[in-house]
Every structure is written in structure tokens, then in C-alpha cells.
Amino acid sequence: MVSIIDLPKTASGMKKEDKELFDRFFKVRLNTGELAFPKEMIGWADKTFGNHKDLEKQKIVYVLNKLIYEGALFNEIRSKRPVAAKSNEDTIAQIHSSEGDPFCKPLTGTPKDTFGRIKGRYCTTASNVAKYDALHGLIVFSKHNPLEFTEKELQDYFDTALKWVEAGNKKYPNAKYPFILWNCLWRAAASIIHGHMQMVLGEETHYAEAEYYNKIRLDYAKDYGGNYWDDLYKIHNSIGLGLELGKSKVFLNVAPRKDKEITIISDAFDKNFVKAIYSSLDTLRKEFHMESFNLGIIMPPIEKKHLFKKNAPNEWTGFPIIARIVDRGALSSKSGDIAGMEMFARTPVIETDPYKVMEKLKENFK
Ligand SMILES: [Zn+2]
């Protein structure tokens, strides 16, 4: 199987036109990290890593997206490590032990928004007690365990979230900038175990990442005459890291924010888009034993204009809906996965080879 470590070779073997596009976005380098063990450490290294010789010369690939200044480091040794075989029983017990929490009885255990509660078939909305922003709601799942979800339930959660966005905008017409997020379990910073998603609806400007991506997209169209997101997908597809489901484009970013990042872009928040999200989560859950994750969905504004630039051209036209998922590691692990490299070097260290994830996604998307 092709590996992310082969990316410089894969890129240099591309067709001229594809290679030019690749080089427009990415800078890639391959280096070897070397070390020498004292003989006293060899036994330990063999036991821990299989063969100490693999550690003496470690191939490392660095990828930089030059257009947005986001990079990632992939180490051959880390990416060769086997996937954890099963969930820790203690963490499953911990999820069950919190059953009977206030979210299990949302009508009496959670506040509602001033525009009321929206009920889905498998969920209900609630107003967040301590808000990120003025409009901050929750989708409280009927099921307690957030890792037990079906495609039908996910469709219902998102339908209900979109209805909440609509209702919030109707009551507060200046609130037009939606963002949907799901922090699943404590590694992903969820303070409540019970399954829930969140929605925020900003006023006046969009959240920073959406504003930034829109600027990048408009600059890209001016400089190159193309569509940033379509071209980014095209590159990933040409190196074997993309697939399509209806009008949804799914890819494994070579400069991801964190481990196993899957990006899904679509022009519409339709059934196929949710199906692509479901299949991605399901693949990570079943094939990679993902237990804790962040999902974020950036959407264009409800009215595609800035409030403070009323006569400006419709500058959000063509902005896609962008969903991103990252795995936050095993629930039993005590060390965090966001450290100095992620926080201040904007260069996350990635554990899993994106090609391994794409191989499983392709099987599951059939
Ligand atoms: Zn519960």
C-alpha cells in the first residue's frame, strides 16, 4: 500500500498538470532522523518498537499547505504502529455509570431557548447553560451513549440542528452565521457524557475560520481563476486520498489539523452529505476504534452578505459546507494530544497514515 511517507515520490510521479496544482498548494520534504542506542537500551527498544534498527533511521515527511500556512509531520515509526484492538472496558463502564444524568430527562434537566424547544424523532434541543456565544443551543440525543448512533439518528440530529438555526435566525434576524459542532466524550472536551451536539449562531461576522476560508477562497479565485476547495479536493483525489458520494467530496487532508482528519465538502446540507459524515464516523468507530472525536461543520451565512457591507457583492456565493472530523485518541489515555507543536507551531504531529484511513473508507463507502 502507498504510504504518506512516499508522498514526495507520489507527487513527483504525477502528471505535469496535476503536479503543478500540487506544487501550488503544497511543499513536501522527506528527512531521516538518526540516533544511536547505548547497548543497554537495545533490549528495551526491541521490546517496545519491534526492532531497534527501525528507530536508528526514521523517515519523516513534512507537508506544508503554502496557501493557508498549515503543516503536518508524519513519522514512519508512528504511522506503522498497529491500530488499538478494542475499547477499554473501564471507559465503557464509565459511560454507563453516568446514565440517569440530566440529559437523560432533557425536558426537566435542561433549559430551553426563548424560541422554544425543537423536537426531533431521536433528539430534542436545549439551550446551553453557560454559552459560548449569545445563541448557543444543544441537540440532546435520546440515547445516552454517544458512540451508539445510526445513520437514521444522525439524519434526525442534523435536521433538528438546521431547524434550530432557522428558528434562532427567525427570532434574532441579525444572527446569520451558523456553526455546528460535536465534541464526543472527554478527550474531545465534552463536559457531559450523554450524547449531544451543539450549534452556535453568530452575529455581524462569521466565526474566524469561516471568514478566513472565505478570504482564501476569494483570493484564490482572483489569483488562479479556480475554486480553492474544488482544487484542494482534486489534488487529494489524484494522489488516492479522495472519494465522492453524490455531490459530497470526501478527502484525507495531507496537512490535517489532527489525527485521522476527514474532510467532507458539499454545496448542500443534503442526505448524501449526512450519509458521508455517518460513513466516515462509522469507519473510524469500527475500523480504528475511535472513541472520542471533534466534528465541526462550517456553513455559509443564512443571508450571504455581511451585515456591515450591505451593498457589497454577494461575497459568500459558492462557499461550500465543510465538515471536518478528527480523532482525539483513546479515552483511557491520560496525556493530551494537543501540545506545543499543535498550539504554537501550527504543525501537528500525526499518528495515523491517511492512506490507511482512505483504504477503509473506500471499503465502507461502497
Ligand atoms: Zn444520559
Side-chain angles (χ1 to χ4, degrees):
M1 191 178 70
V2 189
S3 159
I4 192 68
I5 302 300
D6 304 321
L7 189 60
K9 208 164 71 186
T10 306
S12 61
M14 290 169 98
K15 284 188 294 183
K16 188 169 170 287
E17 192 192 313
D18 291 344
K19 177 73 168 63
E20 276 172 12
L21 192 60
F22 184 91
D23 289 342
R24 180 190 293 170
F25 279 75
F26 297 110
K27 163 96 183 130
V28 186
R29 66 166 163 79
L30 173 67
N31 289 100
T32 304
E34 296 182 297
L35 57 79
F37 283 112
K39 63 178 187 313
E40 291 82 357
M41 278 190 76
I42 288 176
W44 168 85
D46 285 343
K47 202 175 143 201
T48 312
F49 292 92
N51 185 350
H52 72 280
K53 290 210 174 300
D54 291 343
L55 299 169
E56 289 177 342
K57 283 185 194 299
Q58 309 177 18
K59 283 185 193 161
I60 292 159
V61 164
Y62 170 65
V63 185
L64 172 68
N65 180 331
K66 295 183 286 178
L67 299 177
I68 58 168
Y69 289 93
E70 283 195 38
L73 284 162
F74 299 89
N75 177 323
E76 188 183 26
I77 305 295
R78 288 170 177 267
S79 65
K80 271 185 183 164
R81 285 203 294 215
V83 172
K86 62 178 174 63
S87 298
N88 184 315
E89 282 172 19
D90 287 349
T91 59
I92 296 168
Q94 209 172 333
I95 293 170
H96 287 305
S97 71
S98 63
E99 270 172 33
D101 58 9
F103 281 24
C104 283
K105 305 174 278 300
L107 298 185
T108 51
T110 67
K112 63 181 178 184
D113 287 294
T114 51
F115 49 84
R117 233 184 255 281
I118 296 154
K119 294 198 178 87
R121 284 187 70 183
Y122 309 105
C123 63
T124 184
T125 65
S127 193
N128 206 332
V129 171
K131 297 186 183 306
Y132 293 160
D133 203 348
L135 275 162
H136 184 183
L138 300 174
I139 297 290
V140 180
F141 306 166
S142 302
K143 276 186 189 161
H144 176 81
N145 185 344
L147 295 170
E148 286 174 6
F149 55 88
T150 64
E151 187 181 337
K152 215 159 94 179
E153 286 161 350
L154 211 58
Q155 293 278 2
D156 183 62
Y157 302 158
F158 286 121
D159 280 352
T160 310
L162 293 178
K163 281 181 191 154
W164 180 94
V165 166
E166 215 177 279
N169 173 251
K170 203 172 161 196
K171 170 110 194 227
Y172 304 96
N174 286 347
K176 298 177 184 204
Y177 300 93
F179 179 62
I180 297 176
L181 63 155
W182 182 0
N183 301 330
C184 181
L185 293 168
W186 55 90
R187 293 275 305 175
S191 53
I192 305 269
I193 286 177
H194 188 113
H196 65 285
M197 280 186 202
Q198 309 183 53
M199 300 79 64
V200 280
L201 194 54
E203 295 187 34
E204 297 204 27
T205 52
H206 214 321
Y207 295 103
E209 185 132 300
E211 290 285 350
Y212 176 57
Y213 283 144
N214 200 33
K215 180 189 176 335
I216 292 294
R217 187 183 71 95
L218 296 171
D219 288 350
Y220 188 87
K222 205 162 60 192
D223 295 344
Y224 305 105
N227 178 310
Y228 175 86
W229 290 101
D230 285 350
D231 286 355
L232 185 63
Y233 172 75
K234 201 173 152 193
I235 294 167
H236 285 89
N237 193 40
S238 65
I239 58 172
L241 288 175
L243 62 87
E244 284 174 53
L245 183 75
K247 286 178 182 163
S248 294
K249 296 183 168 92
V250 183
F251 65 97
L252 267 287
N253 201 330
V254 291
R257 204 56 71 76
K258 206 54 211 170
D259 204 39
K260 307 184 193 77
E261 182 184 309
I262 301 175
T263 306
I264 302 145
I265 50 178
S266 173
D267 291 333
F269 210 123
D270 57 14
K271 271 205 149 97
N272 271 331
F273 178 65
V274 178
K275 191 182 175 63
I277 294 174
Y278 174 77
S279 298
S280 298
L281 290 172
D282 193 44
T283 302
L284 294 177
R285 173 173 69 172
K286 286 195 183 132
E287 306 286 350
F288 295 90
H289 305 283
M290 179 175 73
E291 301 176 313
S292 190
F293 58 86
N294 297 109
L295 161 72
I297 305 177
I298 292 178
M299 296 158 67
I302 293 166
E303 185 186 274
K304 294 173 181 143
K305 280 182 188 175
H306 269 302
L307 287 175
F308 55 80
K309 288 190 209 162
K310 284 213 162 60
N311 299 318
N314 206 339
E315 60 196 19
W316 289 91
T317 300
F319 190 91
I321 298 166
I322 307 159
R324 295 169 80 179
I325 299 159
V326 288
D327 184 350
R328 297 300 306 277
L331 289 170
S332 56
S333 174
K334 287 208 167 54
S335 55
D337 63 338
I338 306 285
M341 289 302 289
E342 288 78 12
M343 197 66 92
F344 303 124
R346 212 188 277 191
T347 307
V349 181
I350 305 299
E351 297 280 328
T352 311
D353 191 327
Y355 281 94
K356 274 189 193 163
V357 180
M358 186 40 87
E359 186 193 18
K360 295 293 178 193
L361 273 189
K362 281 183 172 161
E363 287 170 20
N364 269 18
F365 271 71
K366 267 176 196 163

